[in-house]
Amino acid sequence: MGNRGLFITFEGPDGSGKTTQINKLAAVLKKEETPFILTREPGGTAISDKVRAIILNPKYSELTSKTEILLYAASRSQHVDEKIRPALESGKIVLCDRFIDASIAYQGYGLGQPVDRVRSINRFASGGLTPDRTYLIDISPEAGRRRMIVRGGRSGEGLKNAARGLDRIERRHLAYHRRVREGFLTLYRENKQRIVLINGEREEDAVFQCILQDFRRFFNKHMTYDMKG
Ligand code: TMP
């Protein structure tokens, strides 16, 4: 990996707690003065955030699966060129909340679109960029949904009312989210060198210790130069 930074992604079904975990890792890096950026998908740049607003807006029920794949890929392409690659080239660690694995799990396995096509569109969009390490925080769709409802302060309402605060993707049926989860687990089985599977149904701190331990080992193995120099 030379003097290029490390590209670290966090993935998982909705409600897995990955955003909390990525923020915790960012706080450690900040404290230790390790150069990094924290970013997310869809989004991460002004243009990509506009695309995010379209993709997640529940009012666009007419949005087709093909358009959905392409919008995620468009958002990603801008994000990679404008933000991720320059940060990696300057030696920074890039912490990214979701990347191509999410498109494969949500649009490929979830929507039943051809996984190879989703992969090749995204290869084009990202210029072939692959994460160096991915933390896949696994949770059942039932537990994930409960968490999202509690997080949104909607636990006192019925499930139907509670769904009102969810975005266009989160609102999909549990069967869809089961396929997404299975998709992520398939990706894990195919990429065990890169993807670390974490049980996200445990205590927040226990989950974080697992991530931090692996991250430190990975960092020490791959970052051979003095990042503060
Ligand atoms: P978030 O919950 O991580 O902010 O992501 C927003 C939603 O977008 C989430 O339901 C997962 C979904 N998503 C996809 O369906 N495909 C993708 O490529 C990405 C990045 C996210």
Side-chain angles (χ1 to χ4, degrees):
M1 287 165 206
N3 276 4
R4 168 187 172 278
L6 288 179
F7 184 27
I8 312 284
T9 59
F10 282 61
E11 298 281 4
D14 289 299
S16 65
K18 69 182 166 43
T19 305
T20 305
Q21 297 297 333
I22 203 171
N23 285 334
K24 278 176 175 274
L25 185 56
V28 169
L29 295 184
K30 187 165 182 218
K31 195 158 158 231
E32 296 176 356
E33 297 180 39
T34 304
F36 77 99
I37 63 162
L38 172 61
T39 190
R40 68 154 182 198
E41 291 205 343
T45 69
I47 291 170
S48 310
D49 277 332
K50 294 256 183 223
V51 179
R52 178 184 176 99
I54 297 171
I55 305 176
L56 298 182
N57 192 335
K59 103 174 173 206
Y60 297 131
S61 56
E62 72 275 30
L63 202 141
T64 68
S65 299
K66 272 193 284 187
T67 308
E68 185 173 308
I69 293 170
L70 292 167
L71 286 177
Y72 276 114
S75 155
R76 179 162 299 131
S77 183
Q78 187 67 29
H79 189 208
V80 167
D81 288 344
E82 189 183 327
K83 196 162 173 185
I84 299 178
R85 273 194 203 278
L88 289 173
E89 276 158 20
S90 71
K92 288 184 183 147
I93 290 183
V94 174
L95 299 181
C96 189
D97 193 336
R98 297 202 186 282
F99 197 60
I100 295 175
D101 294 324
S103 282
I104 294 174
Y106 281 82
Q107 283 67 54
Y109 290 98
L111 291 178
Q113 293 294 306
V115 167
D116 281 349
R117 191 163 306 152
V118 177
R119 226 187 276 277
S120 67
I121 287 168
N122 276 285
R123 206 173 293 127
F124 171 68
S126 67
L129 183 68
T130 309
D132 298 306
R133 200 82 169 150
T134 296
Y135 295 104
L136 170 57
I137 306 180
D138 181 50
I139 191 167
S140 72
E142 292 82 2
R145 181 147 297 190
R146 268 197 304 279
R147 264 206 204 154
M148 281 189 295
I149 288 168
V150 171
R151 189 179 64 197
R154 301 184 290 268
S155 50
E157 306 170 37
L159 255 188
K160 201 162 175 209
N161 285 338
R164 266 195 221 127
L166 303 180
D167 69 38
R168 204 178 54 84
I169 309 283
E170 288 168 343
R171 283 169 183 233
R172 289 179 176 156
H173 291 141
L174 277 178
Y176 170 81
H177 290 284
R178 280 194 197 105
R179 292 195 296 276
V180 170
R181 183 199 195 187
E182 284 311 311
F184 274 130
L185 293 175
T186 302
L187 280 168
Y188 162 68
R189 286 190 289 272
E190 292 169 353
N191 298 276
K192 285 192 181 169
Q193 290 284 85
R194 168 173 69 89
I195 301 181
V196 182
L197 181 64
I198 312 267
N199 174 359
E201 294 193 21
R202 291 168 310 159
E203 273 275 287
E204 204 175 288
D205 278 337
V207 172
F208 185 60
Q209 285 316 312
C210 255
I211 294 171
L212 189 59
Q213 200 179 33
D214 179 86
F215 174 78
R216 291 216 189 278
R217 215 174 19 228
F218 190 77
F219 180 88
N220 290 333
K221 194 164 157 204
H222 293 284
M223 297 302 263
T224 49
Y225 63 100
D226 182 4
M227 301 203 59
K228 290 179 203 165

